[in-house]
């Protein structure tokens, strides 16, 4: 939303109470996908928008979004036979409007050859189709950095402390959580994109008691020891749910769960013991000859637009609310259609027709490697912080100065992917924290466990935590 508004010349400021993307946008299934399963619930418009956005994001951010082959097996745990699965695949292709992601049938003999450890002896066949995987944390961050490049002011670790109606709009008091200082702003319009924390924030700031969101937790396991080469979408036995098994940074990502929550969690949701156990058992059921081990876990919260029924079947469409004059809130939506949500929300706020406002079609610049190399050369600090030279002191400073990195958790989890390795980058932690402290106060002393990387690893059952 900030990126689109700034691209249209609207004076824009964005404040995030924690790090950019830390609440939900870095805790997804890492998929830019059409939502094949949403065909079952009749959300054809959502699937159409999703598959078309999938193609656009692949073109606009090829360094962050890539096409992969997915397998949809026809096996004894599934609810659909070959004819129904074929019909779904054909409809998925039609909605995409492009043969690039088209499906194909994989006979049992071929599936056994390419994936010999998947349900061995079952003689399962499958449909193969195209979808995309992404680096969700970097895509969220680069969206915000591009908004900044377009003129928006952006701050992480800035919490809205007060929101007061004024004659010309709203007065917003924002607290810098890393200094304790407050800033006062005025705005004619305020757009709230708070996700799972929408109702909580409106109760705190305005005394609102209306429930606008339903909350569903989706947890994931990062695992080693799963002998799969392809991306799989698999039915959860005895349920209407599906889960994914995806090759991920040399390991595998297994998820997601669907656990409804009564209230919004803290800023760092985590997988429950029951979710961890379920996903581990599912991985072992489909790959019974393996002995997968957990490297790490993470959890995200889906902020679904309030409605009746199970969160499994609740629509992922976005919805907008005029909370007060000049104060608006967006709920629902899915990562794949975030550009559509931004356009629709902008039109809702400014009273524009959707057809009059195009989506933001700026490509995401693939210049971080070159910018980082230039920065390190200028700093003359290529000191390597890990064996093998994978992290340099210059990269930490680059993340601080160019990417709003404030804590070690920011650096290892969202600016880089070191969290998703067996060692989690811990050998470099002391030096990373020393470099961070050169320009910013200690995240641990001001944020407590939220800024403590070792505590973060422990909360998310990372192997490196011991």
């Amino acid at each position: 939303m900030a990126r689109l508004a700034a691209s249209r010349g609207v004076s824009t400021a964005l404040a995030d109470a924690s790090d950019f993307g830390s609440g939900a946008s870095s805790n997804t299934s890492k998929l830019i996908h059409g939502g094949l399963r949403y065909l079952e619930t009749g959300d054809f418009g959502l699937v159409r928008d999703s598959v078309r956005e999938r193609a656009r994001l692949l073109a606009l951010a090829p360094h962050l979004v890539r096409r992969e082959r997915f397998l949809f097996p026809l096996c004894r745990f599934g609810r659909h036979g070959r004819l129904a699965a074929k019909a779904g695949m054909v409809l998925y292709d039609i909605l995409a409007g492009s043969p690039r992601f088209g499906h194909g049938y994989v006979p049992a003999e071929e599936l056994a050859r390419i994936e010999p450890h998947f349900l061995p002896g079952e003689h399962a066949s499958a449909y193969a189709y195209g979808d995309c995987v992404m680096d969700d944390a970097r895509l969220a961050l680069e969206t915000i950095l591009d908004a900044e490049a377009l003129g928006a002011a952006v701050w992480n670790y800035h919490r809205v402390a007060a929101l007061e109606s004024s004659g010309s709009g709203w007065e917003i008091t924002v607290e810098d959580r890393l200094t304790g200082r407050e800033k006062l702003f005025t705005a004619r319009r305020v757009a709230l994109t708070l996700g799972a924390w929408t109702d909580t924030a409106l109760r705190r700031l305005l005394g609102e008691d209306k429930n606008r969101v339903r909350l569903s937790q989706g947890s994931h396991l990062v695992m080693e020891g799963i002998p799969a080469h392809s991306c799989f979408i698999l039915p959860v036995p005895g349920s209407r749910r599906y889960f994914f098994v995806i090759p991920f940074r040399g390991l595998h990502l297994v998820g997601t769960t669907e656990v409804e929550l009564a209230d919004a969690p803290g800023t760092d949701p985590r997988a429950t013991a029951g979710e961890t156990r379920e996903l581990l058992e599912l991985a072992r059921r489909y790959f019974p000859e393996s002995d997968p081990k957990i490297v790490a876990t993470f959890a995200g919260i889906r902020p679904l637009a309030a409605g009746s029924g199970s969160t499994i079947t609740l629509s992922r469409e976005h919805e907008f609310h005029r909370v007060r004059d000049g104060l608006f809130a967006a709920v629902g939506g899915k990562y794949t259609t975030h550009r559509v949500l931004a356009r629709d929300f902008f039109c809702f706020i400014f009273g524009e027709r959707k057809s009059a406002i195009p989506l933001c079609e700026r490509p995401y610049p693939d210049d971080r490697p070159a910018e980082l190399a230039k920065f390190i050369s200028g700093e003359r600090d290529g000191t390597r912080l890990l064996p093998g030279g994978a992290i340099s002191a210059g990269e930490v400073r680059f993340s601080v100065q160019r990417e709003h990195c404030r804590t070690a958790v920011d650096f290892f989890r969202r600016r880089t992917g070191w969290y998703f390795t067996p060692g989690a980058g811990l050998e470099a932690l002391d030096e990373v924290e020393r470099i961070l402290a050169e320009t910013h106060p200690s995240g641990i002393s001001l944020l407590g466990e939220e800024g403590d990387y070792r505590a973060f690893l422990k909360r998310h059952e990372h192997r490196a935590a011991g």
Side-chain angles (χ1 to χ4, degrees):
M1 174 63 182
R3 182 173 181 249
L4 176 65
S7 73
R8 300 194 63 80
V10 177
S11 178
T12 305
L14 168 68
D16 195 312
S18 295
D19 187 30
F20 299 130
S22 61
S25 297
S26 62
N27 293 303
T28 76
S29 294
K30 319 302 180 192
L31 301 178
I32 291 290
H33 66 130
L36 182 64
R37 74 177 185 86
Y38 302 141
L39 294 177
E40 293 184 357
T41 55
D43 284 334
F44 302 128
L46 177 62
V47 176
R48 181 197 62 233
D49 287 346
S50 297
V51 291
R52 294 179 182 181
E53 277 300 285
R54 177 188 64 186
R56 290 304 301 142
L57 288 168
L58 184 61
L60 294 172
H63 59 301
L64 301 173
V65 179
R66 70 177 187 277
R67 185 185 183 279
E68 292 286 356
R69 183 167 104 149
F70 281 72
L71 293 176
F72 184 90
L74 306 174
C75 62
R76 59 188 166 93
F77 299 127
R79 300 191 309 279
H80 305 297
R82 181 175 174 180
L83 184 61
K86 172 69 174 178
M89 292 290 166
V90 170
L91 181 56
Y92 204 50
D93 290 351
I94 291 172
L95 291 171
S98 167
R100 185 176 185 185
F101 292 90
H103 74 280
Y105 181 64
V106 181
E109 295 76 12
E110 182 181 350
L111 182 61
R113 178 180 59 79
I114 62 178
E115 295 290 349
H117 302 285
F118 175 78
L119 291 176
E122 173 138 338
H123 205 66
S125 60
Y127 276 103
Y129 68 98
D131 252 329
C132 289
V133 298
M134 64 167 166
D135 185 334
D136 55 359
R138 290 297 313 182
L139 186 55
L141 178 64
E142 292 194 18
T143 299
I144 290 168
L145 293 177
D146 198 41
E148 186 177 38
L150 287 164
V154 303
W155 307 287
N156 54 355
Y157 296 105
H158 277 63
R159 171 181 175 268
V160 176
L163 196 57
E164 299 286 343
S165 178
S166 67
S168 59
W170 290 86
E171 290 185 351
I172 308 121
T173 303
V174 178
E175 177 195 8
D176 183 342
R177 297 178 60 211
L178 294 177
T179 65
R181 292 192 291 269
E182 291 187 344
K183 304 172 184 177
L184 181 64
F185 300 93
T186 59
R188 292 179 60 191
R189 300 174 182 87
V190 177
L192 303 176
T193 53
L194 304 176
W197 295 271
T198 301
D199 292 341
T200 303
L202 287 173
R203 280 195 295 269
R204 174 175 62 86
L205 295 168
L206 298 175
E208 288 264 334
D209 60 0
K210 185 175 181 180
N211 294 321
R212 293 178 170 85
V213 293
R214 292 267 302 279
L215 307 178
S216 168
Q217 176 160 299
S219 294
H220 303 77
L221 306 183
V222 181
M223 307 184 75
E224 65 178 8
I226 296 180
H229 305 288
S230 307
C231 299
F232 283 89
I233 176 173
L234 300 168
V236 176
S239 169
R240 297 186 65 179
R241 290 171 41 222
Y242 293 89
F243 76 106
F244 297 91
V245 176
I246 302 170
F248 179 70
R249 298 177 181 265
L251 302 166
H252 280 83
L253 185 63
V254 179
T256 177
T257 59
E258 181 94 31
V259 176
E260 184 164 7
L261 304 178
D263 296 300
T267 57
D268 186 22
R270 66 200 72 175
T272 65
E275 291 173 290
T276 300
R277 183 170 56 251
E278 179 194 31
L279 292 173
L280 186 57
E281 289 173 354
L282 285 169
R284 289 170 173 164
R285 178 172 290 194
Y286 280 96
F287 299 92
E289 298 175 346
S290 67
D291 185 23
K293 298 289 193 301
I294 298 172
V295 174
T297 71
F298 62 90
I301 310 298
R302 305 178 187 94
L304 307 175
S308 60
S310 166
T311 57
I312 297 173
T313 58
L314 208 58
S315 175
R316 270 53 175 172
E317 291 277 10
H318 49 255
E319 187 176 283
F320 308 128
H321 299 271
R322 186 184 303 274
V323 181
R324 306 274 176 85
D325 287 344
L327 179 64
F328 309 89
V331 298
K334 58 196 294 279
Y335 203 130
T336 301
T337 54
H338 71 270
R339 294 192 320 137
V340 177
L341 186 154
R343 189 271 316 276
D344 292 354
F345 196 24
F346 183 93
C347 293
F348 181 81
I349 291 170
F350 287 92
E352 299 279 0
R353 290 180 295 105
K354 294 177 186 178
S355 59
I357 305 296
L359 300 177
C360 185
E361 294 289 343
R362 284 168 60 90
Y364 289 81
D366 184 13
D367 59 0
R368 186 179 193 268
E371 291 294 319
L372 176 58
K374 182 178 178 181
F375 181 90
I376 291 174
S377 175
E379 287 275 301
R380 293 186 174 84
D381 190 352
T383 304
R384 298 295 171 173
L385 307 183
L386 278 180
I391 298 177
S392 72
E395 183 175 10
V396 182
R397 293 192 174 93
F398 179 87
S399 297
V400 171
Q401 296 183 32
R402 304 287 180 85
E403 299 178 333
H404 299 273
C405 180
R406 299 294 179 258
T407 74
V409 178
D410 300 345
F411 181 77
F412 289 108
R413 177 64 174 83
R414 289 176 290 273
R415 302 307 182 277
T416 68
W418 284 100
Y419 171 81
F420 299 110
T421 64
L426 268 181
E427 291 178 88
L429 177 59
D430 290 343
E431 188 63 14
V432 168
E433 289 185 332
R434 184 193 67 77
I435 295 169
L436 289 168
E438 292 175 354
T439 52
H440 292 87
S442 167
I444 297 176
S445 64
L446 292 163
L447 301 172
E449 285 197 350
E450 185 181 346
D452 186 334
Y453 188 53
R454 286 189 173 88
F456 182 84
L457 295 177
K458 186 175 181 180
R459 285 196 302 278
H460 293 283
E461 305 174 68
H462 200 294
R463 178 186 302 172

